[in-house]
Amino acid sequence: MSTDTFVVDKIKKAFPDAIEEIIDFRGEQTVVINGKHLQKIVKLLRDDETLRFDFLTDICADDYLPETPRFAVNYHFYSTKTKAFVRLRVMVEDPDKGVDTLGELWRVATWLEMEVWDLMGINFKGNGALRRLFLPEDWQGHPLRKDYPLGYEEVQFSFNWREVGERKPHPQD
């Protein structure tokens, strides 16, 4: 039995209605779970003697616009004991409601959640430290969302130099 199957079996046994989907892609497994079970599943992964996922490596988010639910929060865990990785994913319909914080289980989660909030605008209930981490405090919006206006200048290449040059402001003679 592979480690991935073993982890999924442990989660299914402890929380039969928690797993919504299992995605296998290029040797990596993502376990999509119901957000109401997040903290309990993470405690299981961390505290179970046979699993011991003792390292939260990252928290990141995806924007699936125009699909619903629109957002997904991904949690990446590593076990220094078994050398195994697991990714949990929680789908989020309303970013203002978001998901529960993992800050009480891992102190680093407070910072990782702050990064997700800053760039994607997903709230983490119970994280009292959510604030801008990379952007100025007065910044409007969350720039990694797919509907965020880009507002960039088109890059000039050899195939479009005339069109771009016509739109560029030039110094007055």
Side-chain angles (χ1 to χ4, degrees), residues 11 17 28 33 52 69 80 86 104-105 115 132 143 153 169:
I11 294 171
D17 62 336
E28 293 184 358
I33 62 169
R52 280 296 192 210
T80 56
V86 68
E104 293 178 12
L105 300 172
E115 178 181 356
R132 293 290 185 187
E153 180 179 331

Side-chain angles (χ1 to χ4, degrees), residues 4 10 12 16 20-21 23-24 31 57 59 112 132 134-135 144 154:
D4 294 337
K10 283 272 194 178
K12 281 182 181 177
E20 295 177 349
E21 182 181 7
I23 302 166
D24 286 306
V31 182
T57 62
I59 300 174
L112 297 171
R132 293 290 185 187
F134 300 113
L135 301 168
L144 290 186
E154 186 175 5

